[in-house]
Structures are given as structure tokens and as C-alpha cells.
Amino acid sequence: MASNLQSMWKFSVLILVQIIIVLYMFQCGVSEFQPSEWKNAHATFYGDDSAAETMGGACGYGNLHDSGYGTDTAALSTVLFNNGLACGRCYEMKCVESPWCLPGASSITVTATNSCPPNWYQDTNNGGWCNPPREHFDLAKPAFNKIAETVAGIIPISYRRVSCQKTGGIRLKFEGNDYWLLVYVMNVGGAGDICQMWVKGTNTDWISMTQNWGASYQAFSKLGGQALSFKLESYTTGEVIYLNNVAPSNWCTWMTYQSDVNFH
């Protein structure tokens, strides 16, 4: 009898351990971003070969060379941009079914850094490429050059969202003052996007920040003279990460601080 009870107990423990492992794996799978299915859309380009016109942009990343995004970037149509919540997302795309596709060209991966505004004076399928409900990518010219001849003007593409492969942790560029902190969130890995952000000073609890525009978030609170930590939530996966003591107590505006943490 005792032997049977011992065997049943061992079996129950084994089952419990297996359940815990499965739940852990499931949880990890939910938090890690997975590529989406391929979809069809169109792409155009803006600016010249220097990509000077792509610098800045609606996401607030500033000089895209300095902030690490380079020229493989895209401005998103209204429905894709989603009021800036798509800033930082990465898309793999390739030119399809066009005589202007470069022979043998592989796909490219671009990061969303700007918004392509609607043009209500043009038809959605004839000039108003970024009008709702159309999904459209306006690429930096150097990126467009990698998949098609620019004489095409507009090309059909196949695209999907992919994980953003970033080197190092998330970067936070500060603006504002001791009583109003404005933070631009850059170099976001994984799904590339965030939807919520909190800040915590040495002498405060967690303070919820609000989206200012694009990939910038703000807090109206006296934070000067305090070391700062941040908490970020991914819009796509819901994953939450903590950036502890990213900025020292003598932090300054116009400075960029880099954490050692990033999304998966």
C-alpha cells in the first residue's frame, strides 16, 4: 500500500513538473515576437540617394544614421502607422510581379521611422497611395534601389513583419527639463514597438508616461536630481521589461542613455 502511494506521489510530481515546463514554454512563446504571414501591398520612394529627406520623421528618431537606423527605412501609410504605435517595427519585403523588379534581388528589411500622410486630392489607387484604408510603404530611395528600378515610381510588393534585430539595449534620448521629461525610445528589438511606458525616480513610485508623438513619451513630474529607471510594454506582444537605473542622478536633456536590456 505504502509503495503504491509513493509511486502515485512520484507520478503526480512528475506530471506537475511537466505542466510547469509547458506553461513556461507557452509563456515564453507568447512574449517573443514571431514573423507574420506574407501580405500584398505597394511601395514608392521619397527623397534622393542621400536619404537626407528621411532624417527626422514622425517617429522622432532624429538623424537616422546617428540613431542606428540608417537608410533602410520606410514611411508608413495612415492605417499602418497607427498614430505612431508602429514606430520601430521591422518589415521584410520584396518586389513582385513587376518588370521593374531587379533580377535576382533578395528581400530587404526596413524599419518604420516616418508617416506617409494621406493625399485627399488624389484617388487611393492613383496618387493617394497612403490614403486609408490602403497599406503602403514609402521607402527611403536607397532602400527602394535594392529591390527595383526607381523609374517604376510604384511597385507591387510582398511583405511581412519580422523581428527587429538590434545590437545592444534600448536607447532613451532625453528632452524637456527637471519638471517635464520627454523621452524618445530607440533601438527597440523584438516586435520593435511599445505602447506604454513608466518612469521611476530614486524618490518616486512608478509614474505612468503618456505618448507625446511618434515614439516619444512624457512625464510631468519633478525628476531632476534623481537616478531614473523605466518600464516599457511592447504593443504587439505585451512583454514588459525593466530598464533599471538607466540614467544617473545628474542626467541631462539632449543626452542619450542606453540600457543593457531589450525585447526578445
Side-chain angles (χ1 to χ4, degrees):
M1 181 67 176
S3 177
N4 289 338
L5 288 174
Q6 188 177 25
S7 297
M8 291 176 63
W9 179 82
K10 289 182 178 179
F11 179 76
S12 299
V13 171
L14 179 61
I15 293 298
L16 180 59
V17 169
Q18 290 176 335
I19 291 174
I20 291 174
I21 292 174
V22 170
L23 289 174
Y24 176 78
M25 293 175 64
F26 176 76
Q27 184 180 20
C28 291
V30 170
S31 65
E32 293 185 2
F33 179 74
Q34 301 297 323
S36 67
E37 298 294 325
W38 287 94
K39 299 177 65 177
N40 296 321
H42 287 79
T44 48
F45 67 90
Y46 69 115
D48 56 21
D49 290 326
S50 72
E53 291 184 33
T54 70
M55 299 297 128
C59 290
Y61 295 139
N63 185 305
L64 298 178
H65 295 294
D66 294 343
S67 55
Y69 295 102
T71 58
D72 285 344
T73 61
L76 306 185
S77 62
T78 303
V79 294
L80 286 174
F81 190 66
N82 193 18
N83 294 317
L85 291 173
C87 286
R89 291 179 179 175
C90 297
Y91 298 87
E92 181 184 7
M93 63 182 63
K94 50 192 175 184
C95 178
V96 294
E97 299 177 357
S98 169
W100 304 112
C101 295
L102 294 181
S106 60
S107 63
I108 60 171
T109 298
V110 298
T111 304
T113 60
N114 204 354
S115 169
C116 178
N119 182 353
W120 302 115
Y121 296 100
Q122 300 290 335
D123 183 82
T124 300
N125 295 310
N126 186 23
W129 308 122
C130 293
N131 296 351
R134 188 182 181 100
E135 294 187 351
H136 187 84
F137 298 85
D138 201 17
L139 304 178
K141 189 178 180 183
F144 191 95
N145 285 340
K146 293 180 179 180
I147 56 174
E149 297 182 38
T150 53
V151 67
I154 182 171
I155 55 170
I157 62 167
S158 182
Y159 81 94
R160 64 174 180 169
R161 277 190 65 189
V162 293
S163 177
C164 297
Q165 303 300 314
K166 301 299 181 183
T167 300
I170 289 175
R171 299 175 193 151
L172 306 176
K173 180 182 178 182
F174 286 13
E175 290 187 14
N177 52 54
D178 286 355
Y179 295 86
W180 171 60
L181 179 64
L182 180 65
V183 180
Y184 293 88
V185 185
M186 301 178 292
N187 201 50
V188 180
D193 56 22
I194 64 171
C195 64
Q196 204 164 356
M197 186 171 179
W198 298 261
V199 60
K200 184 181 186 305
T202 308
N203 304 319
T204 73
D205 292 326
W206 285 107
I207 300 169
S208 180
M209 305 178 73
T210 57
Q211 185 188 28
N212 183 281
W213 59 281
S216 68
Y217 286 75
Q218 61 189 358
F220 294 91
S221 185
K222 186 180 185 305
L223 294 167
Q226 302 180 61
L228 302 181
S229 298
F230 294 87
K231 180 169 64 170
L232 283 71
E233 180 180 349
S234 167
Y235 180 85
T236 300
T237 68
E239 181 185 3
V240 175
I241 59 174
Y242 292 81
L243 316 181
N244 295 316
N245 298 316
V246 175
S249 59
N250 62 342
W251 58 265
C252 299
T253 55
W254 302 103
M255 290 289 290
T256 299
Y257 299 92
Q258 182 161 341
S259 72
D260 56 1
V261 180
N262 215 322
F263 289 105
H264 299 106

